[in-house]
Amino acid sequence: MNREVEVEVLVARAGLTDLYGKILKGERLSYEDGLRLYQTLDLTAVGALANHVRERMNGCATYYVRNLHINYTNICNKLCKFCSFYAKPGDPRGYVLTADNIIARLDEYRHQAIREIHMVAGINPKLPYEYYLDILTAVRTARPDAQIKAFTMIELAQIARVAKKPLADVLEDLKDAGLTCCPGGGAEVFSERVHEELFRAKLDNEGWFEVSREVHRAGLKSNATLLYGHIETVEEKVKHLLHIRELQDETKGFQCFVPLAFDPARTELEHIPLTTGQQNLREIAIARLLLDNFPHIKAFWIMITPQVAQLALWYGADDLDGTVNHYEITHALGTTSDHQVLNHQELLHLVNEAGRVPVERDALYNVMVAA
Ligand code: V47
């Protein structure tokens, strides 16, 4: 049996032939289709559909990046119930990295090729506008060879607040100081119910969209995320994905979608069980199928393990993030150290072992050609 017939048989057995027909014709999947993808027991069939789209869009390529995450402060006044990273203002565990601290951190990696510096943090009301410009300038000066992907939509709203300037002007300043693009964090789940229950102090859903629109209008690309595996419903997840798809139709400014598996360790929601590998693969597959206008779907190995990230490359993901090096927001299962790293060889090995073709990228998905 050839592969196409195999997929046909698989999806027929799962009762998804009509969805396969739509996908083959390049037709958009609906809200109801999204619900069915969550409800069907046959994950292999959902994965085969997602893999079809993945290969149509990106072939066998798996993009990966040599990156470094920097969390410049853990002080945050948003008190999100799903977060274990933050320290309330006044908490002795709170820290702020100065520009010099950041330069010293970068110096630790001076012998490593780094293409992308991913810089995000808590919402620390004490930080003045100049701080954000200074840390961008410091990073750009210390590592002119790397691009800076920094500040979620929530942070940008805060930066504009302290700048007392329109966001459009602030974005121009940030670009001048070195900002290349923005990450996708802080979106969580676009549901008023979940917003109210888990992150009520944070910018609301409409606010996230407004800031994204402004970012894209400024010519900056950004990512989008979904935090799943806590109190959200399947209906809320499908609405979240379709909402993002609509915004992408409007702005075309998103590069990549990143499903984020909730890690309950040390949060107020510690009673919630960990997501399973099965669930993680399903979220990636459904994102690939519903977000037909997103060029890339990312597997972030820190949250789903390197092994499940390898499988994800056959369930819709075409992007594997990354060498990471240092990450404080969550910890790979069973670990507590912030030193979380896959070196370049390990990343290449993971992709090759999974039967995909590794393609090194920068923060804007330009392909890096080996020197
Ligand atoms: O905004 C917080 C989430 C995000 C937890 O854009 C948690 O390329 C799981 O957005 N369990 C930050 N998730 C990470 C993020 C990200 C990561 C990698 C790549 C990209 C990208 C973006 O992590 C936060 C929040 O949504 N988060 N706490 C937790 N306990």
Side-chain angles (χ1 to χ4, degrees):
M1 224 185 326
N2 74 28
R3 200 152 150 218
E4 267 154 46
V5 178
E6 264 182 62
V7 174
E8 244 175 72
V9 171
L10 199 63
V11 295
R13 228 186 281 140
L16 298 174
T17 300
D18 56 328
L19 264 61
Y20 190 34
K22 278 186 168 185
I23 290 164
L24 286 175
K25 282 189 272 176
E27 259 176 47
R28 186 156 262 197
L29 300 187
S30 65
Y31 174 74
E32 286 71 27
D33 296 335
L35 294 183
R36 278 173 66 199
L37 290 167
Y38 275 107
Q39 283 151 2
T40 182
L41 285 179
D42 192 341
L43 175 62
T44 314
V46 176
L49 293 176
N51 191 53
H52 179 91
V53 176
R54 181 249 199 256
E55 291 185 356
R56 186 166 67 198
M57 294 178 86
N58 290 297
C60 278
T62 290
Y63 295 91
Y64 72 93
V65 65
R66 284 191 262 185
N67 59 353
L68 171 65
H69 285 246
I70 296 179
N71 303 121
Y72 55 86
T73 180
N74 65 348
I75 298 173
C76 188
N77 62 9
K78 299 304 174 205
L79 319 183
C80 300
K81 288 190 185 164
F82 56 76
C83 184
S84 61
F85 167 65
Y86 76 85
K88 282 185 201 168
D91 182 328
R93 289 180 307 120
Y95 73 81
V96 176
L97 298 184
T98 63
D100 284 344
N101 297 147
I102 290 176
I103 292 168
R105 171 80 58 82
L106 292 173
D107 195 49
E108 293 170 31
Y109 298 91
R110 65 188 172 281
H111 300 304
Q112 266 189 44
I114 292 176
R115 312 290 185 194
E116 175 190 282
I117 293 174
H118 182 144
M119 202 159 61
V120 293
I123 301 301
N124 180 341
K126 289 265 161 62
L127 296 177
Y129 186 41
E130 293 65 37
Y131 172 83
Y132 299 97
L133 300 173
D134 287 350
I135 60 173
L136 286 175
T137 307
V139 173
R140 185 176 56 181
T141 310
R143 286 305 298 245
D145 52 333
Q147 293 165 320
I148 308 175
K149 178 171 93 180
F151 308 137
T152 62
M153 303 306 107
I154 319 297
E155 288 162 279
L156 289 173
Q158 170 67 12
I159 297 171
R161 192 172 304 128
V162 292
K164 299 193 175 63
K165 291 211 251 185
L167 180 58
D169 297 349
V170 166
L171 290 168
E172 290 311 312
D173 292 347
L174 297 175
K175 279 189 333 190
D176 288 346
L179 183 66
T180 303
C181 59
C182 299
E188 323 312 357
V189 186
F190 299 129
S191 144
E192 273 180 37
R193 181 188 73 87
V194 180
H195 182 260
E196 188 58 24
E197 279 199 40
L198 299 189
F199 53 103
R200 63 191 308 186
K202 196 140 104 180
L203 186 70
D204 64 11
N205 301 326
E206 209 30 63
W208 193 93
F209 278 80
E210 264 319 303
V211 176
S212 296
R213 276 195 187 93
E214 200 72 67
V215 164
H216 298 166
R217 236 177 263 139
L220 288 163
K221 297 284 186 189
S222 69
N223 293 343
T225 54
L226 161 70
L227 180 67
Y228 66 88
H230 44 89
I231 63 160
E232 84 288 355
T233 64
V234 159
E235 289 77 9
E236 285 164 340
K237 283 190 283 204
V238 177
K239 284 185 190 151
H240 179 95
L241 293 169
L242 297 195
H243 214 129
I244 291 178
R245 183 170 81 182
E246 227 171 83
L247 184 59
Q248 175 74 328
D249 278 343
E250 184 188 320
T251 67
K252 304 192 175 37
F254 291 110
Q255 305 196 100
C256 175
F257 181 77
V258 198
L260 298 172
F262 173 56
D263 175 4
R266 294 176 294 280
T267 72
E268 282 184 55
L269 305 174
E270 210 154 20
H271 57 283
I272 293 180
L274 280 174
T275 63
T276 62
Q278 263 229 349
Q279 192 180 355
N280 298 331
L281 292 174
R282 187 181 294 265
E283 296 296 343
I284 285 179
I286 295 177
R288 179 60 292 165
L289 288 166
L290 292 185
L291 297 177
D292 52 18
N293 52 5
F294 268 63
H296 304 287
I297 304 291
K298 178 177 289 188
F300 186 45
W301 63 265
I302 300 264
M303 286 171 175
I304 61 173
T305 75
Q307 291 76 17
V308 173
Q310 280 182 305
L311 280 173
L313 304 181
W314 292 89
Y315 280 76
D318 64 282
D319 185 11
L320 180 60
D321 185 351
T323 49
V324 183
N325 283 299
H326 185 102
Y327 195 69
E328 297 176 39
I329 298 173
T330 58
H331 294 89
L333 299 184
T335 63
T336 49
S337 164
D338 296 334
H339 180 69
Q340 305 193 74
V341 59
L342 282 176
N343 69 35
H344 190 208
Q345 286 314 314
E346 288 167 335
L347 257 190
L348 287 175
H349 177 70
L350 278 184
V351 178
N352 285 320
E353 191 184 53
R356 293 303 199 187
V357 177
V359 178
E360 184 171 11
R361 65 166 178 86
D362 66 7
L364 295 173
Y365 290 82
N366 297 306
V367 173
M368 300 285 95
V369 182

